Amino acid sequence: MNDNLTRLFTLDGTGQLLGLPFVQSALVAAALLGLVAGVLAPLIVARGMAFAVHGTAELAFTGGAAALLIGISVSVGAVVGAVAAGLVFGLLGLRQRERDSVIGVVLAFGLGLGVLMISLYDGRAANKFGLLTGSIVSVDSTNLWVLTAVVVVVLAVLAVVYRPLLFASTDPDVALARGVPTRLLSPLFAVLIALTTAIAVPIVGAVIVLAVTVIPGAAAARVTANPLTATLLAVAFAELALLGGTVLSLAPGLPISGYVATIAFLCYVGCRLVGRARGQVRVG
Amino acid sequence: MTTVAPRGAREETATAVTLRGASLRFGERTLWEGLDLDVSPGEFLAILGPNGSGKTTLLRVLLGLQPLHAGSVLVEGTTPARGSRAIGYIPQQKAMPEDLTLRASDLVGLGLDGHRPGVGLRHRAERREKVRAALESVGATRYASAPVGRLSGGEQQRLRVAQALVGDPSVLLCDEPLLSLDLAHQRVVTELIEQRRREAGTAVLFVTHEINPVLPLVDRVLYLVDGRFRIGTPDEVMTSDALSELYRTEVDVLRVRNRLVVVGAEAPHP
C-alpha cells in the first residue's frame, strides 16, 4: 500500500527522462492537444455537448478497435468512428432531449461492439489497453505531424466561424433570426470535435479526451462570463492538466489518465469555490 | 436633394412591410391565405390570435426563414433574406444558464455582428461605441459586464431591445417580448420599443396574445384565427361582432377602464 503511494508521487529520475526525445515528443503532443481542447471547451460547454463529446470519444474507441482487428491504422479507424458519430450528433442540433437519448443509444451500441472486437483481437495486450488509456510515450514524429495538422485545421476553421458559432451556441433563437446558418454550424462543430477526439484517443486515451475537452470549459465558466477570458483560462487549465499530468506520470511509469484527470478536476473544484465566494459577495 | 435621410424619415409612400396574396400551408393545414398587408414606417401593428394561428410563422416569413406557399412578401422593398440589416428581432424571455459565458455587452454585440464570419478583432472601437450607446439607450449600462444568466427577466428583455436596435433596423419584429414579465417590466420594455418607433420611425410588428399592455400604442391589429384573419384599428377589430365572426362562435369584447377583456375566445383545439 505504502509502496504504491510512494510510486504514485515519485519524481525520481524525472529530470533525466525529460531529456529523452520520446518524452519531448510526448510533451509537444500534450501541448498541442491542450491548445485545441482548451479553445473548443467553452463552446462545448455552452452548447451543452459534454455527453456528445463522450459519445464521440467512445466511438473513436470503437473505430480504433475495428482497425486493430482488421489490421489497418488505429488512427484511421478512430477518425472514421469519431467523425461518423460527430456527424450523427451534430445533425441532431440543439434539441437537448432527443440528442441525449440518441447519443445514449449510439454510445452503448458502439461501446459494446468495441469491447467485442477488442476481445476478438489476439495481438499485443498493450494495444488494447492503449485505446482506453492512451500511450503518450509512443508518440512518434508521424503522430506529431498529424496532430499538428489537425490543430491547424481546427484553429483555421474556428478563425472563420468563431463569432457566428459563439452566437449560435449561446443565443440560438436570435442567431437563427439574424441569419446565422445554425443548421450548418452544428455538424461542422461536431466534426471539429470529432477530428480532435480521434487524433487524441490513441495518444492520451478516450478517458482523457473527455477530461480535457469539457472540464476546462466548465471550470472557466464558473469564474468568468467574458467569452475571451473563458477561452484563455480553458486553454491554461487544459495545458496545466496535460503537461503536468505527463510530467508526473514519467517517473512512476504509469498511464497519464489519472494524473491529467485529477489536475483538471482540481482546477474545476477550485473554480467552483472561487465562483461561489464571489457570488456571495455580489449578492451581499 | 442628395442629403442622406436617417432611417424612418423616408417618404410616406414607402412601406416597411408588404404582403400580397400571401398564403402559408403545412401539409393539409392552411395557416392563412390571401393575406394583403402594408405596414408603414413608424406604424405599430399588433398581431393577435390563438396558439397555432401562425403569428410566429408570419415573423419567420419576414425573417426569410420560411418561404410562402403563394403570394409575395417585401421588407423595405426587397424579398426577405436571412440576416437582413433592415430587421431587428426581439424574442420572448427565456431562462438562460447561470454560468453561460456571455456578458450583457456580448449579447448586444452579437446582435450587431454575430452573424458575420471571423473572430471579431476588426473595428473593435467602433463596435464598442455602438454597444455602449445601445446599452445606455435601454438603461442597462449598470450591468453591461454582468453575466446574462444572472440577470432578471426584465433586465434580460431590456438587453433584447438593445440587441435588436444596435444594428439600427427599420423594421422591428417582436415575438411575445412581454411574456413572463411582471407589469412594471412590461411597461419598461413597451416604452423602450415605443420610444424607438417615435424617434426613428421604425415599423413595429408585435406578436402578442395580450393586447392590453400595448393597446394605447397600437395603430392597427392583425387578428389571425384558424386560417381567417381581420385587419383594422383596434376599434374595428376588437369588437364582439368582428371576433365572433372570426372565431365562428359567441365572443364578447368588454371594455373595462381602458382595458379590453375578451370572453369566449379560448384557443380552438388544433
Side-chain angles (χ1 to χ4, degrees):
Chain A
M1 181 65 197
N2 234 351
D3 282 354
N4 271 342
L5 267 185
T6 324
R7 184 183 170 199
L8 271 179
F9 298 109
T10 183
L11 287 171
D12 286 348
T14 302
Q16 291 100 302
L17 284 167
L18 282 175
L20 299 175
F22 78 87
V23 172
Q24 287 170 355
S25 292
L27 287 172
V28 172
L32 285 170
L33 184 61
L35 176 63
V36 70
V39 170
L40 290 175
L43 291 166
I44 290 170
V45 171
R47 298 175 73 85
M49 286 185 72
F51 193 39
V53 171
H54 182 52
T56 307
E58 297 301 353
L59 266 288
F61 161 76
T62 310
L68 211 53
L69 191 62
I70 59 176
I72 59 168
S73 157
V74 170
S75 297
V76 172
V79 169
V80 172
V83 171
L87 278 176
V88 171
F89 301 157
L91 291 174
L92 295 174
L94 288 169
R95 286 184 306 275
Q96 194 73 44
R97 280 185 57 83
E98 183 193 351
R99 204 173 60 180
D100 224 36
S101 47
V102 173
I103 293 168
V105 169
V106 174
L107 189 159
F109 177 56
L111 202 55
L113 275 188
V115 170
L116 177 67
M117 288 186 286
I118 285 284
S119 311
L120 289 172
Y121 173 72
D122 50 11
R124 265 177 5 117
N127 287 347
K128 304 183 185 181
F129 204 45
L131 278 176
L132 280 176
T133 61
S135 54
I136 194 156
V137 288
S138 68
V139 176
D140 57 26
S141 57
T142 319
N143 293 144
L144 272 190
W145 281 117
V146 175
L147 188 57
T148 309
V150 167
V151 171
V152 168
V153 167
V154 171
L155 293 183
V157 172
L158 279 181
V160 177
V161 303
Y162 181 77
R163 191 165 38 181
L165 186 62
L166 177 71
F167 198 2
S169 306
T170 52
D171 192 8
D173 293 343
V174 177
L176 183 67
R178 296 292 302 140
V180 174
T182 49
R183 291 247 171 128
L184 212 73
L185 287 175
S186 277
L188 179 69
F189 186 62
V191 168
L192 294 186
I193 293 175
L195 281 177
T196 309
T197 305
I199 295 305
V201 161
I203 301 172
V204 295
V207 184
I208 290 314
V209 172
L210 195 60
V212 296
T213 48
V214 176
I215 299 181
R222 285 279 147 189
V223 290
T224 181
N226 180 337
L228 179 64
T229 312
T231 305
L232 295 176
L233 269 180
V235 171
F237 293 150
E239 294 289 3
L240 183 68
L242 277 162
L243 291 174
T246 307
V247 171
L248 287 177
S249 73
L250 287 176
L254 292 169
I256 64 169
S257 318
Y259 295 95
V260 175
T262 304
I263 296 173
F265 179 71
L266 290 176
C267 288
Y268 179 75
V269 172
C271 285
R272 272 204 87 113
L273 292 175
V274 171
R276 170 182 286 205
R278 278 210 220 143
Q280 279 166 350
V281 171
R282 188 164 26 214
V283 176
Chain B
M1 294 288 279
T2 54
T3 48
V4 180
R7 279 200 178 150
R10 51 177 72 78
E11 297 169 55
E12 280 301 302
T13 49
T15 58
V17 171
T18 308
L19 286 158
R20 286 286 174 272
S23 303
L24 198 67
R25 270 176 224 165
F26 286 125
E28 290 292 289
R29 214 166 89 80
T30 301
L31 281 182
W32 26 264
E33 60 185 341
L35 180 59
D36 294 322
L37 177 67
D38 288 297
V39 184
S40 313
E43 185 174 0
F44 196 119
L45 178 80
I47 304 170
L48 289 109
N51 289 338
S53 57
K55 306 188 293 280
T56 296
T57 315
L58 177 57
L59 295 192
R60 285 177 53 83
V61 168
L62 299 175
L63 286 165
L65 299 173
Q66 173 75 51
L68 285 172
H69 190 263
S72 65
V73 52
L74 295 175
V75 176
E76 287 292 303
T78 57
T79 309
R82 285 164 143 253
S84 160
R85 281 292 304 265
I87 296 178
Y89 173 77
I90 305 180
Q92 64 183 57
Q93 196 265 327
K94 266 193 206 164
M96 285 188 260
E98 222 183 58
D99 62 351
L100 192 67
T101 42
L102 209 63
R103 296 163 300 174
S105 55
D106 299 316
L107 184 89
V108 175
L110 285 175
L112 183 65
D113 58 15
H115 59 292
R116 284 199 224 130
V119 288
L121 293 177
R122 293 167 63 198
H123 312 298
R124 287 186 72 176
E126 186 191 336
R127 180 184 200 266
R128 199 175 305 134
E129 174 51 29
K130 281 186 178 169
V131 170
R132 191 202 59 75
L135 284 166
E136 193 180 275
S137 73
V138 299
T141 309
R142 190 173 50 81
Y143 46 88
S145 39
V148 284
R150 293 192 174 213
L151 297 173
S152 73
E155 288 167 333
Q156 284 178 5
Q157 285 310 82
R158 281 186 195 234
L159 293 179
R160 290 300 187 185
V161 176
Q163 185 188 36
L165 296 185
V166 68
D168 193 23
S170 44
V171 178
L172 194 53
L173 305 181
C174 311
D175 195 357
E176 307 250 19
L178 307 181
L179 207 68
S180 71
L181 295 189
D182 60 36
L183 279 175
H185 284 112
Q186 285 187 1
R187 201 167 302 134
V188 169
V189 171
T190 311
E191 270 165 20
L192 288 171
I193 293 170
E194 168 61 8
Q195 186 188 345
R196 168 71 189 190
R197 173 174 81 126
R198 235 179 15 241
E199 289 171 2
T202 306
V204 178
L205 280 77
F206 196 101
V207 167
T208 181
H209 65 252
E210 173 58 76
I211 192 175
N212 285 312
V214 290
L215 189 57
L217 315 175
V218 171
D219 296 311
R220 281 192 301 161
V221 171
L222 166 61
Y223 208 121
L224 301 160
V225 182
D226 206 17
R228 298 175 293 275
F229 60 86
R230 181 92 187 241
I231 304 171
T233 64
D235 286 341
E236 290 164 1
V237 178
M238 301 306 287
T239 65
S240 301
D241 286 349
L243 292 193
S244 295
E245 200 184 318
L246 269 178
Y247 279 97
R248 293 190 175 159
T249 180
E250 294 272 315
V251 175
D252 290 304
V253 181
L254 312 171
R255 196 173 259 278
V256 186
R257 296 191 187 195
N258 292 330
R259 289 174 63 82
L260 293 174
V261 181
V262 180
V263 183
E266 282 73 38
H269 294 288

